[in-house]
Amino acid sequence: MSLENRVEIVTDDDVVAARQKGRKLAADIGFPPMDRAMLAAVITELARNIVDHAGRGEVHFQAIQDAGRRGITVVARDQGPGIPNIKAALQASYSVAGGLGLGLRGAKGLMDSLDIISAPGRGTTVTGRKWLT
């Protein structure tokens, strides 16, 4: 079992690969099917944002442990235009491309934690954690 994986994101095929690899790692950690599906949705959203808004980036997955708990960290990173207003991006009505995706707010709701670091013109890093319960 590989406890870590990185997928370069450039195309739609990379989005699919990231979703599959993240779901596989979640299964290896022991997440039940429903949690794996939620993680796959989050990974798809983050990777899709890279393709649509930055053009290139990466998604990194890692199994984590803390005080006997097991979980997964998902990090999506790009060097794109950045998010000018993170607070607005986390609102339910926020849409940059008019899409019907999960959105960052939806992704945040499916993870135990979701942190966003972004600067206009310098890119974005989104780090999410989900613990096995």
Side-chain angles (χ1 to χ4, degrees):
M1 164 174 74
S2 173
L3 298 177
E4 190 171 354
N5 216 322
R6 182 181 105 34
V7 179
E8 184 176 353
I9 305 295
V10 179
T11 69
D12 292 342
D13 289 340
D14 301 327
V15 174
V16 173
R19 178 176 60 235
Q20 291 171 340
K21 289 180 180 183
R23 184 176 241 174
K24 169 82 168 78
L25 178 57
D28 290 346
I29 293 167
F31 280 97
M34 181 62 89
D35 285 346
R36 293 193 306 256
M38 289 189 293
L39 281 162
V42 169
I43 292 164
T44 300
E45 177 66 24
L46 299 178
R48 167 72 31 221
N49 284 348
I50 290 171
V51 171
D52 290 348
H53 304 294
R56 171 178 294 283
E58 69 178 20
V59 178
H60 179 261
F61 319 99
Q62 186 171 1
I64 55 175
Q65 284 192 329
D66 182 44
R69 297 186 306 170
R70 292 181 297 153
I72 188 169
T73 295
V74 178
V75 179
R77 182 177 297 117
D78 66 62
Q79 297 298 314
I83 301 171
N85 186 336
I86 294 171
K87 185 176 179 181
L90 290 170
Q91 298 301 311
S93 61
Y94 186 80
S95 176
V96 174
L100 299 174
L102 181 65
L104 289 174
R105 182 173 192 251
K108 183 173 183 150
L110 294 177
M111 301 296 281
D112 292 319
S113 68
L114 189 90
D115 300 310
I116 303 170
I117 298 170
S118 188
R122 300 190 64 158
T124 301
T125 300
V126 180
T127 303
R129 286 180 187 78
K130 182 79 175 165
W131 296 102
L132 185 58
T133 54

